[in-house]
Amino acid sequence: MSTQSEDGGEDELRERISNFLRRNFPQIQMHGGSAAIQNLDREEGSVTIMLGGACSGCGISPMTIQAIKSRMTKEIPEINTVHAETGMGGSEGMAGGAGGGSMSPSFPGESSSSSDSDEGPEAPF
């Protein structure tokens, strides 16, 4: 009997998290991305959100992830910890970092240290 109420509580919590994402982050969908609940542990108060689609290669996804973490823990009292990942190797997405990955930003006119670069032709400007 208590398992049914716990499962019902988890379903209700999942629905609240999904509604939170739709309500607070419509730009994720507007820009071709998606956000889905990957894992929910009601006992720990933790949720893992997977950002996919265009979020996987988006340069501002770390800021989006940070905003999700900050707002969700404030608006949904049952959630204490938010883990968020993109399709780019599962970084936690802390603002300003790429989760320790080896990718670094490149800027126009900057040459790469590798002569075997597979980035395509240089822009004419």
Side-chain angles (χ1 to χ4, degrees):
M1 191 157 149
S2 69
T3 16
Q4 282 184 336
S5 66
E6 284 176 22
D7 289 347
E10 185 167 321
D11 288 344
E12 186 264 339
L13 182 56
R14 272 184 187 275
E15 186 64 28
R16 285 176 44 215
I17 292 167
S18 294
N19 288 338
F20 166 86
L21 291 168
R22 278 192 295 272
R23 186 178 67 249
N24 287 290
F25 298 96
Q27 67 271 30
I28 291 174
Q29 274 193 322
M30 289 179 357
H31 293 153
S34 62
I37 300 168
Q38 199 70 9
N39 186 35
L40 175 61
D41 187 330
R42 189 177 172 90
E43 284 183 29
E44 282 185 13
S46 69
V47 64
T48 301
I49 305 296
M50 175 61 78
L51 297 180
C55 292
S56 295
C58 180
I60 64 166
S61 62
M63 289 181 279
T64 303
I65 290 170
Q66 193 60 37
I68 290 170
K69 289 179 176 188
S70 173
R71 290 185 200 170
M72 190 180 294
T73 55
K74 288 178 184 167
E75 290 187 32
I76 302 177
E78 295 91 338
I79 299 299
N80 302 316
T81 308
V82 178
H83 304 282
E85 303 171 355
T86 66
M88 296 293 291
S91 74
E92 282 292 314
M94 296 305 289
S102 62
M103 294 181 68
S104 61
S106 61
F107 301 97
E110 200 177 72
S111 62
S112 117
S113 59
S114 170
S115 60
D116 298 339
S117 178
D118 191 22
E119 292 185 23
E122 259 185 56
F125 50 86

